[in-house]
Amino acid sequence: LNHVIRTHPEIVRHYGAETWLDPGEPESRKRAMDAVLDVVKRYDVDGVVFDDYFYPYPQKGWGGKTLDFPDGASWKKFGSTSGLSRDDWRRANVNRFVQKISQAIKAAKPWVQFGISPFGIWRPKNPPQITGLDAYGAIYADARLWLANGWVDYLAPQLYWPIAQRGQSFPVLLQWWREQNPKGRHVWAGLNDASLPPDEIRRQIQSVRTQTSNGGEIHYHLRCIADNAALAAVVRKEYAQPALVPATPWLDAAPPERPRLTATVGRDSAQFFWENSGREPARWWVLQVRTDRDWTTDILPAGQTSHYFQNPKFDAISLRAVDRLGTLSAPTVLMRK
């Protein structure tokens, strides 16, 4: 009885087989913002991500003609006197919402990251070889603007095409998106685990590494990896070395305090104990051990505060605290006598 279709039918639009809240209605944007902020305020979340839906992807009617989104009522009330064309007004509705939700999340909890996973093509011919859906013109999503203005902490464009597919080339599009980033936000490629073969995913992971040493990728989605033994093997091999999520210094660049580290070392064993030394609890620990000039690295959960070695042969151990934004403390180092 309290569903929005019943309580606020004036902001509901039916488009093809879908039912939408009209982004041109302030009440629609408010309801979406209230839902997000309810989650942010009530739960200890690290981030919020939006998918690529703001206005709907174009659908065709029975005669094969593309349907226009039925927002005549909101256009008449709010758009027709704005001085904007209808397309520009629709984009402005989305841009206003993205900016305000970004600001509202930071006002509630400054450390919560906000990201969007837009369609992988901003506009055809950007760069020149690219063809496909015009997200700017067809679904009114100006993701380049959101990134350039720093309204997002990370952008994960859906680069769901193979490397060799010239009109939608994975590395060409990734490089273009990374070049639209004057504020240095995170740009992480979205990978299409649901449709692409494991070897293509492997080559795309490697392709990301040739473009940036501080990047990474996001897989869509986890179930595809869990249910595909061949893909799981590829991912396991490519991610054999532990890694941290890149730091987000524009939210908080202050490093945590270095941890306190003590050791009990015997002839045949050694045990290390540590604890947080600052007011902010660590989110992870980075434990590194040097043996004959070679270092090994483990990333340990915050709840682990000791490590045991049987038959230890190391000559140094280093421990760093990592905060929830990926910032590392200075190392605490113990040298073996």
Side-chain angles (χ1 to χ4, degrees):
L1 294 177
N2 62 351
H3 195 279
V4 64
I5 293 177
R6 297 178 181 273
T7 60
H8 288 279
E10 72 281 3
I11 65 173
V12 174
R13 308 287 179 254
H14 298 284
Y15 180 72
E18 301 170 348
T19 302
W20 284 74
L21 298 187
D22 183 353
E25 293 281 355
E27 177 64 20
S28 297
R29 301 193 296 270
K30 179 181 181 300
R31 292 180 70 89
M33 184 176 297
D34 288 348
V36 171
L37 292 179
D38 181 57
V39 173
V40 169
K41 292 176 180 179
R42 284 207 288 163
Y43 301 100
D44 185 22
V45 296
D46 289 319
V48 173
V49 63
F50 285 176
D51 210 343
D52 52 322
Y53 288 92
F54 294 94
Y55 280 88
Y57 282 83
Q59 295 190 29
K60 293 184 178 181
W62 291 108
K65 183 179 180 181
T66 299
L67 300 172
D68 193 24
F69 185 69
D71 56 359
S74 57
W75 166 251
K76 184 177 180 180
K77 285 188 292 184
F78 306 109
S80 59
T81 59
S82 66
L84 300 173
S85 70
R86 195 157 181 172
D87 284 0
D88 286 341
W89 172 73
R90 287 169 173 171
R91 271 185 293 275
N93 292 329
V94 177
N95 293 338
R96 187 182 305 116
F97 174 69
V98 169
Q99 182 182 22
K100 286 189 174 182
I101 196 68
S102 176
Q103 294 169 341
I105 289 170
K106 295 301 185 290
K109 291 182 178 177
W111 59 88
V112 172
Q113 297 189 55
F114 173 54
I116 298 177
S117 183
F119 185 72
I121 299 170
W122 176 65
R123 305 206 76 178
K125 300 186 182 302
N126 289 271
Q129 74 186 61
I130 296 303
T131 62
L133 177 79
D134 184 350
Y136 178 93
I139 58 175
Y140 313 104
D142 192 357
R144 186 175 74 164
L145 179 74
W146 313 333
L147 181 62
N149 286 347
W151 295 341
V152 292
D153 299 302
Y154 62 97
L155 201 74
Q158 298 173 8
L159 306 182
Y160 288 174
W161 304 280
I163 290 172
Q165 191 164 312
R166 177 175 170 77
Q168 302 83 34
S169 172
F170 174 90
V172 171
L173 281 167
L174 176 58
Q175 182 63 30
W176 183 87
W177 280 109
R178 293 184 63 246
E179 291 170 353
Q180 316 308 309
N181 190 18
K183 294 186 179 296
R185 301 306 192 237
H186 298 306
V187 176
W188 294 321
L191 306 189
N192 186 6
D193 300 274
S195 300
L196 296 179
D199 189 60
E200 177 69 29
I201 296 297
R202 176 187 61 79
R203 290 188 292 115
Q204 290 187 357
I205 293 170
Q206 295 172 352
S207 175
V208 171
R209 293 170 181 165
T210 67
Q211 293 196 20
T212 173
S213 61
N214 191 29
E217 49 278 335
I218 294 178
H219 291 263
Y220 181 77
H221 46 76
L222 180 60
R223 189 175 63 193
C224 296
I225 299 174
D227 293 348
N228 185 332
L231 179 57
V234 164
V235 172
R236 188 179 300 112
K237 183 177 180 180
E238 291 298 324
Y239 300 151
Q241 296 298 317
L244 293 167
V245 174
T248 308
W250 54 89
L251 296 185
D252 183 2
E257 297 289 332
R258 75 174 75 205
R260 288 187 286 268
L261 176 64
T262 58
T264 301
V265 180
R267 176 178 297 179
D268 299 322
S269 65
Q271 190 159 12
F272 291 86
F273 306 89
W274 58 85
E275 60 182 351
N276 199 61
S277 59
R279 286 183 294 178
E280 181 185 7
R283 182 56 64 98
W284 300 278
W285 309 102
V286 176
L287 178 68
Q288 295 177 291
V289 179
R290 187 180 70 189
T291 305
D292 297 330
R293 298 184 180 181
D294 293 326
W295 287 91
T296 59
T297 300
D298 285 303
I299 298 173
L300 306 175
Q304 182 172 343
T305 55
S306 66
H307 195 81
Y308 178 79
F309 292 93
Q310 184 73 32
N311 298 321
K313 297 180 181 180
F314 59 87
D315 48 56
I317 184 168
S318 167
L319 185 73
R320 293 173 183 254
V322 187
D323 67 17
R324 68 189 305 152
L325 291 172
T327 308
L328 289 109
S329 73
T332 300
V333 179
L334 295 181
M335 305 294 294
R336 189 168 187 179
K337 296 180 181 180

